[in-house]
Amino acid sequence: NAGVTQTPKFQVLKTGQSMTLQCAQDMNHNSMYWYRQDPGMGLRLIYYSASEGTTDKGEVPNGYNVSRLNKREFSLRLESAAPSQTSVYFCASSVPGSSYNSPLHFGNGTRLTVT
Amino acid sequence: GQSLEQPSEVTAVEGAIVQINCTYQTSGFYGLSWYQQHDGGAPTFLSYNALDGLEETGRFSSFLSRSDSYGYLLLQELQMKDSASYFCAVRDRWDTGFQKLVFGTGTRLLVSP
């Protein structure tokens, strides 16, 4: 059982280049998320998709777009990369829970450097 | 606004007990979670408290006091493999009604022999 799979693992971009980070989960989860992690700042939510067909902005959406391609896949696009987007990006998924005890399952991350 | 505060670093020796505190200020509150992250790895879920009191899972316990907006993670019988970063996270709601997790900045635990 693979869980949450992210590609690529590492990427170096020049300022202004574009790229798409891919994420897929095989746990039949409805909800998916993109976080970025920077030193000393914890995990910050970029975008989320509560269910297939919906996406919404998180805390730090500027400079990013997302696509929920189907129930399994949720991609994150940087249209014009900037050095401030150098970070580790994590995709996560969960079963939305009315009990609120719905842990996030994270992928292994994409380490992006923008020069 | 929302904020979660936890110590940036804690050190301990193998076999000891360590407590990592978390205080929070959020507009809504639907529970406190803890995640562990080893260097270079993905965060993994450890525990969740919705109600006041102590939840125990093996060597790890988590405590919540909603009246004090405070919780902690207790790690007993520390092992070298417990060296990692630990994040508290509060479950809140977006205006859309969807749940969200707001993470603290993390506590780096260093366990020495």
Side-chain angles (χ1 to χ4, degrees), chain A residues 63-106:
Chain A
Y64 305 95
N65 284 299
V66 291
S67 296
R68 183 74 183 266
L69 304 168
N70 48 55
K71 190 171 185 179
R72 292 186 63 247
E73 298 172 287
F74 188 38
S75 63
L76 178 72
R77 183 158 178 85
L78 288 70
E79 290 291 351
S80 178
S84 61
Q85 294 178 304
T86 293
S87 188
V88 181
Y89 291 85
F90 286 99
C91 177
S93 69
S94 72
V95 178
S98 58
S99 65
Y100 303 108
N101 182 12
S102 180
L104 297 186
H105 298 259
F106 286 87

Side-chain angles (χ1 to χ4, degrees), chain A residues 31 33 35 37 40-43 45 48 50 56-59 90 96-104 106-108 111, chain B residues 2 30-31 33 35 37 39-45 48 50 87 91 93-94 96-106:
Chain A
S31 303
Y33 314 79
Y35 284 88
Q37 185 173 36
M41 299 191 73
L43 289 145
L45 183 64
Y48 69 97
D56 282 290
K57 295 178 181 178
E59 302 165 78
F90 286 99
S98 58
S99 65
Y100 303 108
N101 182 12
S102 180
L104 297 186
F106 286 87
N108 285 328
R111 282 144 186 84
Chain B
Q2 298 169 318
Y30 298 93
S33 301
Y35 285 76
Q37 184 181 30
D39 283 349
T44 56
F45 172 77
Y48 172 76
F87 295 88
R91 189 169 289 278
R93 264 189 194 275
W94 290 107
T96 58
F98 188 72
Q99 300 167 42
K100 62 179 177 179
L101 269 186
V102 179
F103 284 85
T105 53

Side-chain angles (χ1 to χ4, degrees), chain B residues 75-95:
Chain B
L75 297 85
Q76 302 181 75
E77 301 172 18
L78 280 174
Q79 303 175 7
M80 296 294 289
K81 66 178 181 180
D82 297 329
S83 290
S85 292
Y86 293 84
F87 295 88
C88 60
V90 167
R91 189 169 289 278
D92 194 354
R93 264 189 194 275
W94 290 107
D95 292 340

